Amino acid sequence: MIPLNQNLNALKRSQIRVYTNLARATTGCAMLTIGEPDLDTPEAVKLAAMEAIQNNQTHYAPNQGTPDLRKAIADHETHRGNAVTPEQVLVTIGACQALFTALLGILNPGDELIVPTPGFGLYETIATIAGAKTVPLDVTKTGFQITQEALDAVITPKTKAILINSPCNPTGVIFSKESLAAVKRAVLSRPIFIVCDNVYHSLSYSDCPDLSCDPDLKEQLILCQSFSKPWAMTGWRIGYLTCPDYVMDRLLLLSAATITAVPTFLQQAAITALSTPTAPMREIYRQRRDYVTGRLTAMGLSFPEPEGAFYVFVNIEKYGLDSETFCSRMIREGLLAAVPGSCFGTDGYIRLSYCYSDEELKVGMDRLEAFIATL
Ligand SMILES: Cc1ncc(COP(=O)(O)O)c(C=O)c1O
C-alpha cells in the first residue's frame, strides 16, 4: 500500500453514525439521535430556488458568493450587531466548510485549538487534518460554563484559537456573559483567534450573548454560520463565514481551491431564507424541549439546562455504565437509541435530540423510563 497523508491516519469514524446504524438494524428501535430538523424547508425558500433555476441562474457563482447574497448576509449580520461588509463575507457549503476553511486557514502543524468539552467532533477532525492538536477545556465541573482559571490552565504559547459553540451541541447550553468575558480576557492582545460556531444561535430560547458582536474582537474573530438549522435546510448545504479583511484575503483562496463556489440558485434561495422568520420553528423546539426536560426531571435524571439548539445532555453516571455500553444496551434491551457522550469527548452522559414529532418523543421518553427502571 502506498502511504497516504499521515494526518488522515488519526481520523476516527463518527460514532454517531455507528449508533444510528445499530439502531436501524434493530427492529422496532426508536431513535433520538439525529441532529437535524424534522420540519420542512419554508415554501418561499423552495420557490426561490426553483425560480432561480428557471431563470438559468445555473452558472458558476463568484468564488466568494454572489454580491446579492453577500450584501444580504452583511446586512443581516450588521443588524444583529456583527458589523461586517459584504467583502468580509464568504458563502460556504454549510457551516462544515466554513469551519474547515476557518480552521485549516489558521492552524499550522503543532498549533493548539482549545475546544470547550463536551463539544462537536468535527473541530477535532479538522484540527487533525491540519496537523494541529485539540486541547479539550473540560466544562463539566464548572456548570458547563468557562472559567478564567480553567482557561488559564490550558492556554499555552502554542494556542492558536479557541472554538466557541453557543448554544452548544451536545448540551444546548448558552455560554454566559462571564464565560465569554473570560474568553475575551484570555485572547485580547494575544495572537489567538476566536472561532464562533453560531449554527444554533437563532434557535436560542433565552438571550444568547455573542462574541461575534464585540467590536474589540473584530480583528481576531471568525464567525461560522449556517442556513441548515434555523430554516431546516440541512440538505441544501449552504452557510457562510465572516472574518476580518486580512483573514479573508487567504481564506477566499482556500475556499475557491476547494469548492470554486456554492451553487448559484442556492444562493438566491438563501436570500429569501434570510427574510423568512425563524421564530415559529424555534417555538416548536421550545415546546418539545419543555416536554422532554419535564419527563427527564420526573424520571430523576439530571442534565445541564438546555437553552438552545435541540439537544439534552443527560447524566447517566449513577448507573455505573460507560456511555457506549449504556447506549448499546438501551438499543438492544430498551429499543431506544441515543448518542453516547463519549462522541463529544465526555463520558457519563448521553445526548438526546428532540428533532422529533410529539408522538416520537413520547415513545422515546416512555422507553427511556422503562429502560432505566431495569438498571
Ligand atoms: C455545532 C455544529 N456546527 C456545525 C455543524 C454543521 O452544520 P452544516 O449543516 O451547516 O454543515 C453542525 C451540524 O450538526 C453542528 O452541530
Side-chain angles (χ1 to χ4, degrees):
M1 283 202 297
I2 306 170
L4 308 183
N5 178 335
Q6 61 183 13
N7 292 345
L8 303 192
N9 294 338
L11 295 186
K12 298 175 214 124
R13 247 169 244 289
S14 164
Q15 288 296 308
I16 302 184
R17 292 235 173 258
V18 172
Y19 283 84
T20 303
N21 290 344
L22 182 60
R24 287 210 176 107
T26 308
T27 313
C29 187
M31 289 199 270
L32 297 181
T33 50
I34 299 291
E36 68 163 310
D38 58 318
L39 307 170
D40 291 324
T41 303
E43 279 311 306
V45 178
K46 292 192 272 189
L47 275 176
M50 288 189 271
E51 261 173 38
I53 293 176
Q54 289 295 352
N55 293 337
N56 296 312
Q57 294 189 27
T58 52
H59 299 275
Y60 287 133
N63 297 138
Q64 198 168 346
T66 62
D68 287 352
L69 178 56
R70 283 190 294 114
K71 161 112 184 30
I73 292 171
D75 289 349
H76 170 80
E77 285 296 325
T78 302
H79 178 71
R80 59 167 214 95
N82 172 27
V84 287
T85 65
E87 290 68 42
Q88 292 168 334
V89 174
L90 172 69
V91 181
T92 59
I93 303 285
C96 285
Q97 195 228 335
L99 287 161
F100 194 87
T101 305
L103 294 176
L104 213 62
I106 61 178
L107 293 171
N108 285 305
D111 282 350
E112 293 177 356
L113 170 71
I114 294 176
V115 179
T117 302
F120 184 49
L122 181 66
Y123 313 135
E124 183 171 4
T125 301
I126 303 170
T128 304
I129 294 170
K133 186 176 156 208
T134 307
V135 177
L137 170 62
D138 180 8
V139 294
T140 57
K141 309 286 180 303
T142 49
F144 291 83
Q145 295 294 336
I146 300 170
T147 63
Q148 192 70 57
E149 300 71 45
L151 196 49
D152 286 346
V154 290
I155 287 200
T156 76
K158 290 186 180 162
T159 304
K160 189 60 169 292
I162 303 178
L163 201 304
I164 297 297
N165 174 219
S166 178
C168 168
N169 178 6
T171 61
V173 166
I174 287 176
F175 284 128
S176 63
K177 284 201 177 87
E178 293 71 29
S179 286
L180 297 187
V183 174
K184 178 174 174 178
R185 264 199 303 277
V187 304
L188 259 191
S189 65
R190 280 189 171 143
I192 299 177
F193 283 104
I194 295 173
V195 178
C196 276
D197 177 350
N198 271 23
V199 298
Y200 297 107
H201 190 266
S202 55
L203 295 179
S204 304
Y205 312 121
S206 51
D207 184 42
C208 185
D210 184 2
L211 286 176
S212 70
C213 295
D214 187 328
D216 298 341
L217 294 169
K218 273 262 153 293
E219 289 304 297
Q220 56 197 118
L221 190 136
I222 306 177
L223 167 74
C224 297
Q225 186 53 286
S226 176
F227 290 85
S228 288
K229 317 283 177 171
W231 290 285
M233 289 173 68
T234 44
W236 294 63
R237 314 304 306 125
I238 182 159
Y240 60 90
L241 66 76
T242 72
C243 63
D245 296 312
Y246 77 98
V247 179
M248 182 61 77
D249 184 61
R250 300 290 97 187
L251 296 197
L252 173 55
L253 299 184
L254 174 57
S255 181
T258 323
I259 63 155
T260 304
V262 169
T264 316
F265 48 90
L266 298 189
Q267 298 198 49
Q268 194 58 34
I271 297 174
T272 304
L274 281 174
S275 59
T276 305
T278 54
M281 289 204 198
R282 185 173 59 230
E283 197 41 44
I284 292 173
Y285 295 128
R286 181 209 295 275
Q287 285 168 12
R288 292 176 180 179
R289 190 264 320 246
D290 291 348
Y291 171 72
V292 169
T293 55
R295 289 288 309 264
L296 294 171
T297 304
M299 289 177 216
L301 292 167
S302 66
F303 46 85
E305 198 55 38
E307 293 177 290
F310 27 59
Y311 310 108
V312 194
F313 205 52
V314 182
N315 190 307
I316 52 144
E317 283 169 308
K318 64 180 172 184
Y319 300 109
L321 300 173
D322 65 71
S323 60
E324 296 190 14
T325 307
F326 185 98
C327 286
S328 311
R329 280 188 57 185
M330 190 161 72
I331 290 174
R332 279 187 271 109
E333 300 166 26
L335 292 182
L336 175 67
V339 182
S342 59
C343 295
F344 307 95
T346 302
D347 210 350
Y349 288 80
I350 59 168
R351 187 192 77 175
L352 300 175
S353 157
Y354 46 90
C355 291
Y356 292 89
S357 67
D358 294 349
E359 300 75 54
E360 288 169 303
L361 290 177
K362 179 170 184 324
V363 169
M365 289 301 108
D366 289 349
R367 290 191 184 178
L368 177 63
E369 191 166 14
F371 174 66
I372 57 175
T374 68
L375 296 178

